[in-house]
Every structure is written in C-alpha cells, then in structure tokens.
Amino acid sequence: MSTKKSSLKEKIWVYLILFSCIILICLWLFQVVFLNSYYEWYKKRDLEKVVSEIINSYDPNTLETVLDQISAQQGVCIEIVTDGTTSYTSDRFNRGCMLINPEHETPKELSMTKEEVSSGVNAFRKQFMNSKKRKASIKLVNPRFKNQTLLYGVKLDRDIYAFISASMQPLDATTKILASQFIFVTMGVLFLSFVIGYLISKRISKPIIKLNDAARNMAKGDYDVVFETGAQITELNELASTLNYTRDELAGTEELRRELLANISHDLKTPLTMIKAYAEMVRDLSYRDDQKRTEHLNVIIEESDRLNLLVNDILDLSLMQSNLGMIEPTSFDVGELIASIVKRFEILTETEGYHFIINGPKHCWALADPKKIEQVIYNLIGNAINYTGEDGQVIIRISDESDDIHIEIIDTGKGIKPVDLNKIWEKYYKSDKKHRRNAYGTGIGLSIVKQILEKHEANYGVKSTLNQGTTFYFDLTKAKSDKKMR
C-alpha cells in the first residue's frame, strides 16, 4: 500500500495550522473548561498560606492585632474560639464572612438558613476540636446557589482554636464571557494561521525547491549549475555550499574519468598494435631470417610485458578502491626488501648509467603487508627513474626512528610546481615538466601507492624544489623481528 506523498510546502503549512489548533485547544481547556477547578485550587492554596502564617506568628499578646492585619489584607474571615466560646471574630473587616458562631446572623448573600449554617459549621467545629488534630479543612456549599466556602480549623494552643474561612465567588458569568470571547479569538487565530502558514511554508520551501532543481540538472551531467538559495537561513546556505563543492568534485571526477579512459585506451592500443604488426611481420617476412625473427619476437615480448604491467596496475587499483585488496600485516625486514628491489634495477646501471644509493641500516623491521609495500617502493623507484636528473641518481633513504621507520625515495630532476603537488596522486595526472624516459610505470603507479599507504593508515607525502629534485616519503609502523601481527 503506497503512502500519499505531499510537498514540503504543504507539510509546513499543515504543521503550522496544527500547532495553532493545539495552542487554541490548550487555551480553551485552561481558560474555560478548567477555570473553576484552577480557581478553587488557587483559593485553597492562598488559604493554606494564611493558616501557616497564623500558626507561625501565634502570640497570645498580639494575636488580635495580627489577625486583624491578616483578615484585612487577605480578605478572609477569622474566628478564635477559646474554651468553646468565641473570643474574636473578623467580620468587621469582611462583611461577606460566613460567620462560624451560630449566634450571629446569616449573611444574606449565602441564602442559607441559620440552621443550615449552624448545622454544618458546628458539626465541623465539634468534630475538629475533638479530633486532637493540629489543623483540618472542609468545603461548605450553598444548596441554592451552589457557591462554596472553604473553612479551615487550626489548633493554636491548648484550648484555643482558630477557624478561617474564604468565600469562593461563582465564576459562571466569567466563564461564559471568556467562552464567547474565545470563539472570536479562535476564528481569528485560525485565519492568521492559514495566511501566515502559507507565507512561511512558501518562503522556506522556495529555496529548497531551487536547490532541488539545480541538483536534478547536475544529475543529468550539467556541471555548470550554481547552487544558491537567496535565503537568510544558515542551514540552507551551508547545504548550497556543500552542493557547490560536490559539483566541483564531480566535475573533476568526470574530467578525470574521460582522461583515464582516453589514456588507458591509448596505452592498450599502442602495445596491441605493435604486437599485431610484429606478429604479422614474423608471419609474412622474417619467419625465415633467424636474426630478424628473434628481434621481432623480442619486441612482441616487450610490448606484451608492458601490456601485462598496465593491466595488472589497473586491476590492483580497482581492487584497492573496492576494498577487495585487503592488507595482511606481518613483520618483515624493510632494509632487505629495498635491497632486493634495487637489485632488479641494476641493469639500468650497466646500460644507461643510473646510480642507486641506499642510505640507512641494512636491517630494520616493519609491521605491514610486505607484498603491498614492495609494490609501493617499486613504483616510487620507477617514478624516480623516469624523472631524475642528468646524473641518473636515485637515492633511497631509510631512517630507523623510535616508533616508525621513515623511508624516502629521492630524485634529482626538475622538481614539481607547488600547485601540482596535491594532484600528482591522481591517475594519469600530467605535469608540464618533461622527463628523461618512461621505461617504468603506467601512469597510475602513484595512485596505487596512495591507495596502499592509506589502507595502512601510514603517513605519506611529497616534497619538491624546482630544479633540485623531488622526495617521496612514507612511514611504516616499527615491529620486532620475531613477531607477526595477528
């Protein structure tokens, strides 16, 4: 079962109206429906404060003065009963008091008979004085008009009792007025909610819709779109900045993808063309000439090796990027590994005058994947061979430090411009400098180096000075020779 979808503008509009409705419901409940209950609770709380004040300030010598002040200020009725007889009453301050002493006249506004008043009050007074409680309360209701009076009894001393009462005026008329008023308030608030909710939802959703349209165009391959909101909303402006950054990265990735395809196609096409051409020459021309046939077959073998190297590099990079080329760290001798790799390049010393210099200890142990680190060192040395200077020097420097083993591969070439330093790790990135040869490497060797070292969480980088040379470096975790990482 599919859920009906609605736009952001509609949802914001509906939520604002619902919020207004909830506020109105709360106002109706607290200002109309529960008004009487709140009023009763409020009066009862005030009367309890008066009772506490009388208890705390009780002094037989100043009692009447204190009670006069409390009665006048708080609008309550107070009567003191000593030895069963009324000794003080505050009816002179509050004429509407429901007097406790049955000998007094019944207030006209209560519309109760003297017998009804006396019966309820006297019963409470008698029960309270016999209960030995410190204080107690009762609510008296006028049977005709249903108005209420709260009555508290307090024991001040051995035979001295205080009875405090407060009338609770009926709020029916007030409730009706508030209800009538809230009808108009409700209609006004709902109308404003519709209007303001629509305006706010439109203002908030408009920049989001604008961003969405631009993102849709970018998804179709238009990387010239500009993400902007025109809104003074921090989160939306930050989202626009993020999308602009994403656009730039995607545009760069797309350009790199096209270059990669073009370069790979070229690199695959060239050796395949050579292999086919020389194979046809062997078949048609040189198959009877042993010397020429051998030369042509050697070219086929060399181009096959070059093609194999390119394919292997592409596969290695693909495995690394897809997390399939997992590393298997173990303890191994880095010095011995570097010496064995340099030995493979000795043919260049004899044939082309290259010089490979190893500075550092012959033996030092690292904790890493030896096969992957072998690939890193081989690629970096091959890169140094391609770009070193006329002296043909390639220097490998090993530093056995306290926690790490620091390895540097240095050439003496023309160096790399500062603006290009962060780009050389990209596949097939070409700087504007010329190098002596391209006998080793396929154009993606440094990308493989980057992927391997990042999987090892190793510190790595490059330093270069124009016309002086370039240094590639990385660190490996130090390990003991007799332990393996599990």
Side-chain angles (χ1 to χ4, degrees):
M1 182 178 178
S2 60
T3 304
K4 185 179 179 181
K5 297 181 180 179
S6 57
S7 66
L8 177 65
K9 183 192 298 184
E10 292 173 350
K11 286 190 175 183
I12 294 175
W13 193 13
V14 170
Y15 290 155
L16 285 173
I17 293 173
L18 286 176
F19 177 74
S20 299
C21 290
I22 291 171
I23 295 297
L24 288 172
I25 290 171
C26 292
L27 288 174
W28 272 93
L29 289 175
F30 291 109
Q31 295 297 319
V32 178
V33 179
F34 299 128
L35 182 61
N36 284 324
S37 299
Y38 177 76
Y39 176 68
E40 181 179 337
W41 171 83
Y42 182 81
K43 292 293 290 186
K44 187 175 181 181
R45 187 193 64 174
D46 278 358
L47 198 57
E48 288 175 348
K49 289 182 180 179
V50 171
V51 170
S52 299
E53 187 177 353
I54 292 174
I55 293 174
N56 294 333
S57 60
Y58 172 69
D59 184 351
N61 298 322
T62 61
L63 180 61
E64 291 190 9
T65 303
V66 173
L67 295 180
D68 286 345
Q69 291 176 351
I70 294 174
S71 178
Q73 292 173 359
Q74 302 295 334
V76 297
C77 304
I78 305 172
E79 184 173 4
I80 301 298
V81 177
T82 305
D83 296 327
T85 304
T86 299
S87 60
Y88 168 84
T89 181
S90 65
D91 61 329
R92 62 183 179 277
F93 294 101
N94 299 288
R95 294 181 119 188
C97 287
M98 178 178 168
L99 299 177
I100 298 170
N101 191 341
E103 297 178 0
H104 290 283
E105 294 182 0
T106 303
K108 294 179 180 180
E109 60 268 29
L110 291 176
S111 300
M112 298 175 66
T113 64
K114 185 183 294 186
E115 288 76 14
E116 287 174 326
V117 175
S118 300
S119 175
V121 174
N122 287 336
F124 170 73
R125 182 169 61 178
K126 191 173 183 180
Q127 184 181 7
F128 172 67
M129 294 171 67
N130 291 332
S131 67
K132 297 183 181 179
K133 293 181 179 179
R134 183 67 189 272
K135 59 181 179 178
S137 63
I138 190 174
K139 182 167 65 175
L140 301 176
V141 182
N142 185 323
R144 178 180 292 184
F145 300 110
K146 304 300 181 182
N147 59 317
Q148 303 171 356
T149 297
L150 289 175
L151 176 62
Y152 265 84
V154 183
K155 185 176 182 179
L156 298 176
D157 209 340
R158 188 171 179 180
D159 294 317
I160 302 175
Y161 297 88
F163 293 92
I164 306 99
S165 64
S167 176
M168 299 187 60
Q169 300 295 330
L171 298 177
D172 292 342
T174 304
T175 303
K176 288 180 180 180
I177 294 172
L178 288 175
S180 176
Q181 183 186 41
F182 269 119
I183 292 175
F184 296 102
V185 171
T186 300
M187 292 189 295
V189 170
L190 287 177
F191 174 76
L192 290 175
S193 297
F194 273 96
V195 175
I196 296 175
Y198 174 77
L199 295 175
I200 292 177
S201 62
K202 184 177 181 181
R203 183 175 180 84
I204 293 176
S205 62
K206 186 176 180 180
I208 297 177
I209 294 172
K210 191 175 180 181
L211 290 175
N212 183 59
D213 292 340
R216 190 178 288 113
N217 291 332
M218 185 177 70
K220 295 177 181 178
D222 181 8
Y223 296 110
D224 293 327
V225 296
V226 178
F227 292 94
E228 55 184 3
T229 63
Q232 300 299 320
I233 302 175
T234 303
E235 289 78 6
L236 290 179
N237 291 331
E238 290 177 352
L239 176 60
S241 299
T242 302
L243 289 172
N244 282 323
Y245 174 77
T246 303
R247 175 207 60 202
D248 295 339
E249 290 297 311
L250 287 175
T253 302
E254 179 63 20
E255 182 181 355
L256 185 61
R257 183 185 67 83
R258 289 194 293 265
E259 290 181 1
L260 178 61
L261 288 175
N263 282 292
I264 288 178
S265 299
H266 178 269
D267 284 349
L268 288 173
K269 184 179 180 180
T270 300
L272 286 173
T273 302
M274 296 286 288
I275 290 171
K276 181 182 178 182
Y278 277 89
E280 290 176 346
M281 290 177 66
V282 171
R283 183 193 66 185
D284 298 334
L285 300 175
S286 62
Y287 65 95
R288 293 178 181 176
D289 188 331
D290 293 342
Q291 183 178 353
K292 287 186 176 181
R293 184 177 67 244
T294 302
E295 291 177 359
H296 294 165
L297 289 175
N298 285 336
V299 172
I300 292 174
I301 292 171
E302 290 175 0
E303 292 301 322
S304 298
D305 290 340
R306 179 179 174 82
L307 184 61
N308 184 59
L309 179 63
L310 174 64
V311 172
N312 286 335
D313 278 354
I314 294 173
L315 289 175
D316 288 341
L317 184 61
S318 178
L319 287 173
M320 287 292 172
Q321 292 179 335
S322 61
N323 291 323
L324 296 177
M326 302 302 293
I327 62 171
E328 297 179 0
T330 187
S331 179
F332 68 97
D333 190 341
V334 180
E336 186 178 312
L337 176 64
I338 291 175
S340 67
I341 294 173
V342 170
K343 193 172 183 181
R344 301 180 205 171
F345 293 100
E346 285 182 352
I347 186 66
L348 296 179
T349 302
E350 300 174 3
T351 59
E352 299 190 31
Y354 280 87
H355 302 285
F356 298 94
I357 302 171
I358 301 176
N359 293 329
K362 292 184 177 181
H363 301 284
C364 51
W365 294 81
L367 193 60
D369 188 323
K371 292 183 179 179
K372 297 291 190 298
I373 298 303
E374 178 182 3
Q375 194 172 8
V376 168
I377 297 171
Y378 187 91
N379 285 350
L380 290 178
I381 292 177
N383 184 76
I385 291 171
N386 291 335
Y387 289 96
T388 196
E390 295 297 330
D391 58 2
Q393 282 194 359
V394 175
I395 303 170
I396 301 97
R397 186 177 296 153
I398 307 170
S399 302
D400 192 351
E401 300 176 353
S402 57
D403 297 322
D404 300 313
I405 296 173
H406 185 71
I407 300 171
E408 296 177 341
I409 290 87
I410 306 166
D411 66 57
T412 59
K414 293 183 178 181
I416 306 171
K417 294 179 180 180
V419 294
D420 294 329
L421 282 177
N422 292 327
K423 300 177 182 178
I424 61 172
W425 304 103
E426 298 175 3
K427 299 178 286 292
Y428 283 109
Y429 178 78
K430 295 179 180 179
S431 65
D432 58 359
K433 64 179 182 178
K434 296 179 180 180
H435 50 82
R436 296 177 60 198
R437 55 180 286 119
N438 195 19
Y440 293 88
T442 59
I444 56 177
L446 292 181
S447 293
I448 295 174
V449 169
K450 175 184 176 183
Q451 294 289 333
I452 293 174
L453 293 177
E454 286 184 350
K455 283 188 175 295
H456 280 81
E457 297 182 356
N459 176 49
Y460 70 95
V462 59
K463 297 178 291 185
S464 184
T465 303
L466 290 177
N467 301 318
Q468 293 185 24
T470 302
T471 300
F472 286 88
Y473 64 89
F474 63 94
D475 296 331
L476 295 176
T477 303
K478 201 171 179 180
K480 294 182 180 179
S481 61
D482 58 345
K483 286 192 175 182
K484 291 185 178 181
M485 183 176 180
R486 297 183 181 272

